[in-house]
Amino acid sequence: MNQEKVIVLDFGGQYNQLVARRVRECSVYCEIYSYRIDIEQIKAMNPKGIILTGGPNSCYQEDSPTYGKELFELGIPVLGLCYGAQLMMHILGGNVKCAPVREYGKTEVFVNPKTQLFEDITPKTVCWMSHNDYIESVAPGFEITAHTADCPVAAAENEKNKLYAIQFHPEVLHTEEGTKMIFNFVRKICGCSGSWRMDSFVEDSIRSIRDKVGDGKVLCALSGGVDSSVAAVLLSKAVGNQLTCVFVDHGLLRKNEGDEVEAVFGVNGAYELNFIRVNAQERFYQKLKGITEPEEKRKMIGEEFIRVFEEEAKKIGAVDFLVQGTIYPDVVESGLGGESAVIKSHHNVGGLPDCVDFKEIVEPLRNLFKDEVRKAGLELGIPEHLVFRQPFPGPGLGIRIIGEVTAEKVRIVQDADAIYREEIVNVGLDKSIGQYFAALTNMRSVGVMGDERTYDYAVALRAVNTVDFMTAEAAEVPFAVLQKVMGRIINEVNGVNRVVYDLTSKPPGTIEFE
Ligand code: XMP
């Protein structure tokens, strides 16, 4: 991509992706690289600015992540954040030490608003601090531009050489004017024009997909989730009927979901593409008979999915390109982008490439964050209910039914879940809760309905607040809402006589039940 960009050098900080997101919020394209990247590679990219992230180490210790001095001599503006700030000082001749008072949390910082970095910032502003080390003295040529009660150097700069160091974390939302500071750096100091927008992304992508694909045949596994839907629509806009989308309905989708996907992408939908829906429900239920162990279920569903897809792909024959809905966090987390290699444990279509006869992979969303994928989706005119879909696991309801999966249990959990989701939307909580759904426990218990004794299943309701889905807290759904959902499920869903609310956080629980 030949456009102006800022690069983030990742020193292992937990907020590396946040830094890149904030830069992009300023309409500037940004990529994350490990601090191990070679200086020649940086020069070849010709970035408009470089940001060094925080990190867990002490820069004065041997073996801590570092960089050569030449990074600061490229004539490119550099902004160091926390560890990045300390490292800049350390390398350029300042002094960094273990702080007598560790600063953590929201802190009042006194900044010099006459500087370009803090232009339009309130002189006393709340920032997010998290550091053990501190800059005791700045490097030659630097001036102190901010301090706190405990920290003499909360920010410093060498304006002539365009080098800036900030001890706190402007990328974290607790830093009230942080985005403005990042805007000042990338737009004013680095001089980026701010041309990174989703409409231009969509236009550029369509053009580059056309160049790449030519008159080739393209195959896409469509799940109905946000990423594969946006990828499919981009491809459809670029190459129309050269694209075939295969949608495998494994019978473990939410209520009416298969029909909803078909309504959007099928023959009566809005897009030019070949849509194949494979109704494999019975086949999956047969395979799942008698399987109760969670991992075995997951494995079976994944394998069967690939088998079904493979059969369809064989009917289509050789294709030139296979579409994958990879997004930027997948790239970074698989260790290709930044420094923190968190390997994803859930792969929905893992193994798919092996079963298709294709020449090349197309990953049109590879550079986007999730919220940008959503923006691109809206830009492309994809219906909001698809664009703002909550995460849904690849194995679907199979892992929300504890114990053996049967068609009857799928019906129960689909109906209960639909009621729960409807009521959450009715009270306007759908945008604020990270993920919410109903699961079917394997517990049956005695109840009484009318004058009759019942012996039916218990449905568990789950709702969590989460930022990254790695940790989560149970959401405080108002009791009146839970009561209403309980009443409706018991009255409307045959086979259920008890409803419980799951209070478990993650850890020790997981978000899903299996
Ligand atoms: P857990 O249950 O591990 O879930 O706390 C974290 C997030 O991942 C989703 N999830 C999956 N997503 N394939 C997926 O694509 C899977 O096999 C899978 N299992 C869990 C889950 O819905 C939650 O958002």
Side-chain angles (χ1 to χ4, degrees):
M1 215 176 295
N2 198 6
Q3 65 190 327
E4 61 178 20
K5 72 174 161 200
V6 164
I7 62 169
V8 170
L9 291 195
D10 181 4
F11 286 89
Q14 54 181 324
Y15 305 128
N16 60 0
Q17 292 196 30
L18 265 187
V19 177
R21 283 183 57 174
R22 295 282 169 264
V23 173
R24 291 196 191 182
E25 279 167 23
C26 302
S27 306
V28 173
Y29 185 65
C30 179
E31 285 176 350
I32 304 170
Y33 292 92
S34 162
Y35 71 91
R36 296 169 214 266
I37 188 176
D38 192 79
I39 191 89
E40 292 305 323
Q41 269 176 283
I42 297 183
K43 282 191 204 160
M45 283 191 271
N46 193 22
K48 298 279 278 184
I50 300 170
I51 301 180
L52 317 180
T53 72
N57 303 78
S58 284
C59 63
Y60 45 80
Q61 269 165 4
E62 246 181 72
D63 299 335
S64 285
T66 186
Y67 209 94
K69 200 174 171 193
E70 64 272 24
L71 182 71
F72 304 102
E73 294 163 353
L74 296 171
I76 300 171
V78 183
L79 170 65
L81 306 177
C82 197
Y83 181 82
Q86 295 164 4
L87 188 69
M88 182 188 287
M89 290 303 141
H90 180 69
I91 292 172
L92 297 177
N95 202 15
V96 177
K97 269 183 143 169
C98 183
V101 184
R102 176 174 183 247
E103 277 186 312
Y104 183 81
K106 287 187 186 179
T107 310
E108 275 187 342
V109 177
F110 301 89
V111 305
N112 178 358
K114 290 201 188 100
T115 59
Q116 219 177 356
L117 189 62
F118 297 127
E119 203 174 294
D120 298 328
I121 307 286
T122 330
K124 188 167 90 177
T125 184
V126 172
C127 300
W128 184 256
M129 285 283 190
S130 171
H131 64 115
N132 291 322
D133 290 342
Y134 81 120
I135 300 165
E136 186 196 41
S137 61
V138 298
F142 278 80
E143 249 177 66
I144 297 172
T145 54
H147 67 275
T148 72
D150 292 312
C151 178
V153 187
E157 68 181 43
N158 178 335
E159 198 194 357
K160 188 166 139 265
N161 295 339
K162 298 212 176 299
L163 304 177
Y164 302 81
I166 297 184
Q167 178 57 72
F168 51 88
H169 289 276
E171 70 276 24
V172 174
L173 286 180
H174 299 304
T175 297
E176 286 170 5
E177 296 175 280
T179 303
K180 227 194 262 179
M181 295 171 195
I182 289 178
F183 183 93
N184 285 346
F185 179 69
V186 296
R187 298 289 293 272
K188 295 181 181 167
I189 294 170
C190 302
C192 293
S193 63
S195 53
W196 171 250
R197 298 230 161 69
M198 277 308 120
D199 52 351
S200 51
F201 167 82
V202 165
E203 269 173 43
D204 291 349
S205 301
I206 291 176
R207 214 173 307 125
S208 63
I209 291 169
R210 276 192 193 133
D211 287 349
K212 180 169 180 171
V213 168
D215 55 6
K217 267 170 93 176
V218 189
L219 180 61
C220 172
L222 186 66
S223 70
V226 189
D227 303 341
S228 70
S229 299
V230 174
V233 172
L234 258 181
L235 262 297
S236 144
K237 299 254 174 184
V239 297
N241 282 328
Q242 287 162 248
L243 171 70
T244 300
C245 286
V246 174
F247 167 56
V248 176
D249 187 339
H250 52 21
L252 303 165
L253 298 169
R254 286 165 286 199
K255 191 171 182 175
N256 300 331
E257 199 168 16
D259 295 342
E260 281 167 22
V261 173
E262 185 168 353
V264 174
F265 293 99
V267 276
N268 298 320
Y271 306 108
E272 199 190 335
L273 54 91
N274 303 302
F275 177 81
I276 299 173
R277 174 173 177 174
V278 189
N279 285 314
Q281 294 92 331
E282 281 313 317
R283 182 170 167 169
F284 275 85
Y285 299 156
Q286 281 301 324
K287 278 275 170 185
L288 283 166
K289 248 189 195 155
I291 301 184
T292 54
E293 209 276 318
E295 275 310 303
E296 208 182 324
K297 255 198 250 178
R298 274 176 177 275
K299 214 169 135 226
M300 206 248 88
I301 297 169
E303 281 172 8
E304 197 59 14
F305 180 89
I306 289 170
R307 224 162 283 146
V308 174
F309 192 84
E310 189 173 21
E311 285 169 23
E312 286 311 310
K314 282 220 174 91
K315 287 185 207 159
I316 296 166
V319 293
D320 301 287
F321 299 92
L322 179 69
V323 182
Q324 298 261 283
T326 319
I327 66 172
Y328 199 50
D330 303 332
V331 176
V332 175
E333 283 163 19
S334 63
L336 295 177
E339 187 52 24
S340 22
V342 183
I343 307 298
K344 264 203 155 178
S345 55
H346 309 306
H347 286 287
N348 284 343
V349 285
L352 204 51
D354 296 338
C355 78
V356 181
D357 184 3
F358 73 103
K359 291 189 200 129
E360 224 179 306
I361 286 187
V362 189
E363 295 177 310
L365 311 177
R366 206 183 150 77
N367 293 320
L368 299 192
F369 285 109
K370 195 82 178 182
D371 53 331
E372 293 175 317
V373 174
R374 293 206 161 100
K375 279 190 203 150
L378 293 177
E379 195 64 43
L380 284 160
I382 301 177
E384 282 203 13
H385 72 267
L386 274 187
V387 169
F388 291 102
R389 236 189 204 162
Q390 23 171 341
F392 187 63
L397 300 178
I399 57 168
R400 291 182 183 170
I401 293 170
I402 299 171
E404 187 186 13
V405 175
T406 63
E408 171 67 358
K409 285 184 179 172
V410 170
R411 192 233 356 125
I412 293 178
V413 76
Q414 277 181 339
D415 287 349
D417 182 66
I419 291 170
Y420 186 32
R421 285 191 289 133
E422 190 181 314
E423 292 302 333
I424 291 282
V425 171
N426 282 347
V427 291
L429 284 172
D430 53 317
K431 293 254 156 61
S432 59
I433 300 177
Q435 197 172 356
Y436 56 95
F437 56 87
L440 187 61
T441 74
N442 207 18
M443 179 188 87
R444 291 171 79 195
S445 64
V446 172
V448 49
M449 280 259 239
D451 292 329
E452 301 257 327
R453 175 188 187 274
T454 58
Y455 186 57
D456 283 332
Y457 285 107
V459 158
L461 304 178
R462 182 94 166 119
V464 293
N465 290 323
T466 174
V467 179
D468 52 9
F469 297 90
M470 312 286 262
T471 61
E473 297 286 337
E476 282 189 42
V477 179
F479 195 65
V481 177
L482 291 174
Q483 254 179 329
K484 183 162 184 203
V485 174
M486 177 275 295
R488 282 195 57 194
I489 291 178
I490 303 256
N491 283 322
E492 297 172 35
V493 186
N494 265 339
V496 180
N497 68 353
R498 214 170 273 267
V499 175
V500 298
Y501 186 68
D502 183 359
L503 284 172
T504 323
S505 49
K506 173 184 178 177
T510 54
I511 296 175
E512 300 290 348
F513 280 62
E514 292 200 327

